[in-house]
Amino acid sequence: MDFNLPEDLRLMQAAIKKYVDQVLEPAAVQIEEEDAVPEDVVEGLREMGLFGMSIPEEYGGLGLDTLGECVVYEEISRANASVRTRFSTNNGIGSLGILYDGTPDQREQFLPPIACGEKTIAFALTEPDAGSDASAIRTSAVRDGDDFILNGRKMFITNGAIAELVTVLAVTDPQKKARGGITAFVIEKGTPGFSVGKLEKKMGLKGSGTAELIFEDCRVPVNSIIGGEAMIGKGFRTAMRVLDKGRLTLAAASVGMARRALELAVLYAKQRVQFGKPIGEFQLIQGMLAQMATEILAGQSMVYRVAWQKDQGNPVRKEAAMCKLFCSEMLGRVADTSLQVHGGMGYMKEYAIERIYRDARVTRIYEGTSEIQKLVIARELLNG
Ligand SMILES: Cc1cc2nc3c(=O)[nH]c(=O)nc-3n(C[C@H](O)[C@H](O)[C@H](O)COP(=O)(O)OP(=O)(O)OC[C@H]3O[C@@H](n4cnc5c(N)ncnc54)[C@H](O)[C@@H]3O)c2cc1C
């Protein structure tokens, strides 16, 4: 077994590490205060090709495999969780449906501008009455000749307000719902009847926009269906496939955030003096550092292994859910422990751990809560 990352990936990892230390870390306070990722940072992400890192080279992307993608998300997330979300919908939940199930024309039309970051794409599944139970969505898409007319509201949509394109899940057959009655559409900003509603004010992830999307008699042609006519009613399956990969990359991001929380704890433990010595010399503090490092290694190891398994073409639904469950919960413990090592200073905004602690919380919620990950794992165990 070879646990070394391939040479090209190691080079990319080093380049991103440098970018994180030189550009992203210093920008963290500005992102937090302005609740937006500055345009020069976005431009830097574009230049590194990150908006299309997992999109195949034939469409202008970098064509990284899942392991490569996980390594990049891990490094970027050391600096800032919201910067990751700025380009992750282009690689993941937003574009994957088009990549997996789109027609050749749709891939040609949509993927190149997504891959170079000229356009941002969001993914709209969640609704006021359909979160964990995604099959309960009510946004309707009713056929009218060669068009479909959409009505409904989507909520909590990452990049929803800035996206030029959105992958939207809607009900085309209310009798069948998730079993053949949900269809995926790709809809462009500016389409009459499609508008952005409320912008959420969040506990953390400042800089990552979360918006409501509204569809009122929004008329779109049949060729807006991802995969065309043949894919009518098959959108729920597309969405679940997309989420399988999202769970793995989110686990990688959790590992990166946890690594940063540990780095900050180690730094503080060396500097802070109490009872005449650095607190890092107290065994209770050493125990916390050792526990954090051990859990991070466990999380990172499972992410790399499952990413590799996926890249070999193996199904990883259960394993991806395990990674998301373990790594997001692990991040919660590590962020909490790191804050404890910082004492009162950890509670102050001037210390980065305060932000990481808040940013960490949502990883146990979005792209499927911890409870839903457990249900996915158990279902696979019982039915496998
Ligand atoms: C910052 C942010 C960004 C997001 N971005 C997007 C996006 O880009 N696109 C998108 O479509 N969605 C997005 N979401 C939505 C996200 O995926 C949902 O919030 C998530 O799936 C949970 O749904 P919910 O909030 O409705 O919680 P609920 O489903 O109402 O769950 C409430 C609680 O009940 C538990 N629960 C529910 N069902 C069960 C069950 N069967 N057994 C045990 N416990 C259960 C849950 O685990 C949770 O603890 C985002 C959310 C946030 C917070």
Side-chain angles (χ1 to χ4, degrees):
M1 259 181 150
D2 184 358
F3 286 103
N4 290 313
L5 293 177
E7 176 67 13
D8 52 347
L9 194 50
R10 262 186 290 151
L11 289 174
M12 183 155 190
Q13 187 183 36
I16 291 184
K17 219 176 215 150
K18 202 166 147 199
Y19 182 73
V20 162
D21 292 337
Q22 293 180 352
V23 180
L24 292 190
E25 266 299 316
V29 173
Q30 186 188 349
I31 293 171
E32 182 76 11
E33 282 172 0
E34 294 176 2
D35 200 358
V37 180
E39 194 45 40
D40 59 326
V41 171
V42 175
E43 195 47 42
L45 301 170
R46 282 193 192 106
E47 280 167 15
M48 284 191 291
L50 298 187
F51 277 91
M53 65 175 173
S54 66
I55 294 176
E57 289 173 70
E58 59 180 306
Y59 302 112
L62 298 182
L64 288 185
D65 58 13
T66 315
L67 178 61
E69 217 185 329
C70 285
V71 167
V72 172
Y73 282 134
E74 184 187 332
E75 289 307 326
I76 289 279
S77 304
R78 265 185 65 237
N80 195 295
S82 50
V83 169
R84 179 191 68 85
T85 70
R86 181 63 186 82
F87 65 92
S88 67
T89 54
N90 272 37
N91 289 287
I93 52 177
S95 69
L96 272 180
I98 300 173
L99 186 64
Y100 288 159
D101 292 327
T103 61
D105 282 352
Q106 286 171 338
R107 289 189 197 137
E108 287 294 335
Q109 181 188 349
F110 295 117
L111 293 179
I114 291 171
C116 70
E118 179 195 325
K119 291 190 176 172
T120 299
I121 183 162
F123 173 78
L125 174 63
T126 305
E127 296 182 3
D129 294 322
S132 298
D133 182 7
S135 67
I137 61 168
R138 289 199 208 145
T139 294
S140 61
V142 177
R143 190 156 196 160
D144 182 31
D146 282 342
D147 296 333
F148 275 83
I149 298 172
L150 275 78
N151 278 289
R153 296 173 107 80
K154 297 289 180 180
M155 71 188 292
F156 295 163
I157 307 307
T158 301
N159 293 331
I162 57 168
E164 286 85 5
L165 299 166
V166 189
T167 291
V168 181
L169 279 301
V171 179
T172 40
D173 186 340
Q175 305 304 319
K176 294 186 182 157
K177 285 285 196 118
R179 297 178 191 281
I182 291 178
T183 301
F185 295 81
V186 56
I187 298 184
E188 299 191 56
K189 190 182 204 166
T191 305
F194 168 31
S195 60
V196 175
K198 182 181 164 208
L199 295 179
E200 301 292 346
K201 287 194 187 349
K202 304 191 294 297
M203 169 188 193
L205 270 193
K206 297 286 162 64
S208 172
T210 309
E212 176 189 33
L213 301 182
I214 302 167
F215 299 91
E216 285 169 320
D217 292 332
C218 174
R219 181 181 284 272
V220 295
V222 160
N223 64 13
S224 304
I225 293 170
I226 294 180
E229 293 248 11
M231 287 298 287
I232 292 177
K234 295 180 182 159
F236 197 72
R237 198 187 62 184
T238 303
M240 293 303 113
R241 244 183 108 197
V242 163
L243 287 172
D244 277 348
K245 186 168 171 204
R247 285 167 183 161
L248 199 45
T249 50
L250 193 52
S254 301
V255 171
M257 291 171 73
R259 273 177 53 206
R260 186 74 188 129
L262 172 62
E263 287 164 18
L264 294 171
V266 169
L267 209 64
Y268 196 80
K270 285 184 184 171
Q271 287 168 354
R272 175 67 175 165
V273 174
Q274 284 295 279
F275 300 98
K277 39 174 125 160
I279 59 169
E281 290 188 21
F282 300 125
Q283 288 188 341
L284 287 174
I285 297 286
Q286 289 174 3
M288 291 188 206
L289 300 179
Q291 183 69 31
M292 283 191 267
T294 306
E295 292 208 43
I296 292 168
L297 178 63
Q300 188 189 47
S301 304
M302 68 196 286
V303 168
Y304 285 13
R305 177 183 150 164
V306 175
W308 177 84
Q309 266 178 275
K310 184 170 189 316
D311 289 335
Q312 305 309 305
N314 299 305
V316 293
R317 172 156 293 171
K318 179 178 73 206
E319 291 79 4
M322 288 171 167
C323 288
K324 161 77 162 69
L325 172 65
F326 181 82
C327 293
S328 61
E329 301 263 337
M330 175 277 285
L331 169 60
R333 290 189 294 274
V334 168
D336 187 71
T337 309
S338 176
L339 198 149
Q340 191 68 15
V341 170
H342 283 75
M345 276 303 177
Y347 204 64
M348 302 300 149
K349 287 215 174 279
E350 68 195 89
Y351 275 76
I353 189 60
E354 185 270 346
R355 167 176 53 83
I356 295 171
Y357 182 82
R358 284 183 288 108
D359 287 354
R361 190 60 185 88
V362 77
T363 61
R364 281 185 265 166
I365 296 171
Y366 63 4
E367 297 206 21
T369 63
S370 289
E371 293 70 39
I372 294 304
Q373 305 308 323
K374 287 180 186 166
L375 294 186
V376 171
I377 297 163
R379 199 182 307 130
E380 292 285 315
L381 287 172
L382 293 167
N383 301 337

